[in-house]
Amino acid sequence: MKMNTRGFRSQLKDSIPVAELSPQAGAYGVPDTLRKGFTSVKNELLPSHPLELSEKNFQLSQDQMNFSTLRNIQGIHAPLKLQMEFRATKQIQRLPFLQSSNIALDTLRGNDESIGFEDILNDPAQSEVMGEPHVMVEYKLGLL
């Protein structure tokens, strides 16, 4: 039994943005290993599991479904207002070297009352990403 991988790869190219397929190059065309970590070409080309794409795009598809339902029920103004509120809450963040809880975004999505997998096993104190605070702020402001 032979699988048609051509259709699967074209599906991957359609569902993953092109920026995620390209290597993360720094200012001089060399990957920024200090900020991004080591890159693996295999992980950037194909997902390691068939459900990885579905899980990666779950929140986006869930939001689109909610917006279309809201548009059908209440009209165009309701999803537009909600999208403006989402954009406003996404801009509220702490300094780049501090983890942000995004509690306002969770409240808008209705995730503030549920306990999920990421609430227990996504502890920022156990994160492997830590850097110089001054360098991270300068990078975020575009000074580097």
Side-chain angles (χ1 to χ4, degrees):
M1 185 168 147
K2 185 177 179 182
M3 287 184 62
N4 184 4
T5 58
R6 182 175 179 212
F8 182 68
R9 288 189 183 172
S10 66
Q11 180 184 6
L12 286 177
K13 289 179 184 174
D14 292 341
S15 60
I16 298 176
V18 178
E20 290 185 18
L21 287 175
S22 64
Q24 300 292 329
Y28 300 104
V30 179
D32 194 359
T33 310
L34 290 175
R35 290 188 191 96
K36 307 280 185 190
F38 293 107
T39 59
S40 173
V41 176
K42 182 179 178 184
N43 291 339
E44 292 177 4
L45 293 178
L46 294 173
S48 59
H49 194 272
L51 290 177
E52 185 176 352
L53 287 176
S54 175
E55 287 295 317
K56 186 180 279 189
N57 298 327
F58 174 75
Q59 191 62 48
L60 179 66
S61 62
Q62 188 77 21
D63 288 343
Q64 288 175 349
M65 184 180 66
N66 289 340
F67 289 147
S68 66
T69 304
L70 197 58
R71 181 179 179 173
N72 291 337
I73 294 172
Q74 295 184 5
I76 188 91
H77 75 287
L80 287 177
K81 180 183 177 199
L82 200 56
Q83 285 177 350
M84 286 189 332
E85 290 177 359
F86 279 169
R87 280 198 196 114
T89 57
K90 284 181 184 177
Q91 291 176 355
I92 301 169
Q93 292 182 354
R94 294 182 180 171
L95 291 173
F97 58 92
L98 295 174
Q99 292 290 329
S100 181
S101 65
N102 294 326
I103 190 70
L105 191 61
D106 284 344
T107 304
L108 279 176
R109 287 190 171 137
N111 295 339
D112 58 335
E113 297 176 354
S114 63
I115 297 175
F117 180 81
E118 64 276 356
D119 293 328
I120 298 169
L121 297 177
N122 196 18
D123 185 15
Q126 297 175 354
S127 176
E128 295 179 11
V129 179
M130 185 60 194
E132 289 283 327
H134 297 287
V135 173
M136 294 176 86
V137 170
E138 289 174 1
Y139 181 74
K140 175 102 176 173
L141 294 174
L143 299 175
L144 285 180

